């Protein structure tokens, strides 16, 4: 076994690491594919509800990263093109 292999972090350990792409505290990253035919609009959280922000729409078929540790009801925090936004998780297929 090479030194590089000995120092490699297992996938299980990577899932436990806080931080990640945006430096937040949960870091439970997962890949997902957008299955919503019209794509997923970015939403913002306003009080206890979510409203489309008009910031961007993630096209159908696009692969994105989501944070399983940051969910609220059916909404989940997604990362797309170096931006983050809440999206409706019912329009996603988790990989």
């Amino acid at each position: 076994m090479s030194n590089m292999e000995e120092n490699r972090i297992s996938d299980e350990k990577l899932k436990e690491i806080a931080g990640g792409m945006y430096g937040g505290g949960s870091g439970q990253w997962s890949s997902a594919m957008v299955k919503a035919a019209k794509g997923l609009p970015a939403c913002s959280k306003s009080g206890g509800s979510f409203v489309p922000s008009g910031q961007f729409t993630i096209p159908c078929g696009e692969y994105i990263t989501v944070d399983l540790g940051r969910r609220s009801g059916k909404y989940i925090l997604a990362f797309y093109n170096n931006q983050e936004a809440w999206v409706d998780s019912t329009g996603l297929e988790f990989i």
Side-chain angles (χ1 to χ4, degrees):
M1 184 179 297
S2 71
N3 285 342
M4 181 181 242
E5 290 171 326
E6 288 176 13
N7 293 323
R8 189 171 289 155
I9 298 173
S10 70
D11 289 338
E12 291 76 30
K13 286 291 183 192
L14 283 174
K15 289 179 184 177
E16 295 173 14
I17 295 173
M21 291 172 52
Y22 75 108
S26 60
Q28 296 178 16
W29 313 120
S30 180
S31 295
M33 184 188 73
V34 176
K35 67 178 182 179
K38 294 182 179 180
L40 287 178
C43 296
S44 58
K45 192 172 183 179
S46 177
S49 63
F50 293 85
V51 293
S53 65
Q55 186 179 3
F56 58 87
T57 298
I58 306 170
C60 182
E62 196 71 30
Y63 289 90
I64 62 173
T65 301
V66 295
D67 187 347
L68 298 175
R70 294 181 68 191
R71 289 180 162 213
S72 183
K74 67 178 183 175
Y75 290 88
I76 190 166
L77 194 67
F79 301 90
Y80 178 69
N81 284 345
N82 295 320
Q83 299 180 69
E84 68 177 43
W86 293 95
V87 296
D88 184 339
S89 64
T90 61
L92 294 172
E93 180 179 324
F94 294 92
I95 300 171

